[in-house]
Amino acid sequence: MNYRVIYMDGHYHPKDLDTSYLGDSIGHWEGDTLVVDVVGLNDETWLGGGQSAPPLALIHSDKEHVIERYTRNGDVLTYEATVDDPVMFVKPWVIVPRQTHHASAEDRLLEMTCAAHDRPHFIKPSATNKYTCYCCIPNKPQK
């Protein structure tokens, strides 16, 4: 799982920033929209634009600059981004907005249980490789 820090306290991007896969993110609110300014992405990152991406959009430099916009309207979160890279692109391009529906207030998180494709179901237990799944162990210890 990846996560990134989005500074919301008036930070500025460092002048001597080392590039990284997630870059440096600074955010602020414009009404109900979280706007995130991202710089410092290395040239090895994946630039996912889907069908809206220009040809060869996966190719970019470490001068790439992305402005992301996250807007929530009820249970729908909309993601939009404008990508600029003066080294690789002749003009900025906009990623087609993507939408995600959130669960309703009545939905619940369910308990995590093992699945038939978990590692312990494929590997025969031995002295050095024992089951760790508390759902499958016969006579399992009490927590």
Side-chain angles (χ1 to χ4, degrees), residues 23 35 40 53 83 110 122 141:
V35 179
V83 181
L110 300 176
F122 287 102

Side-chain angles (χ1 to χ4, degrees), residues 26-38:
I26 296 174
H28 68 273
W29 289 99
E30 291 180 4
D32 293 335
T33 299
L34 173 62
V35 179
V36 182
D37 184 281
V38 186

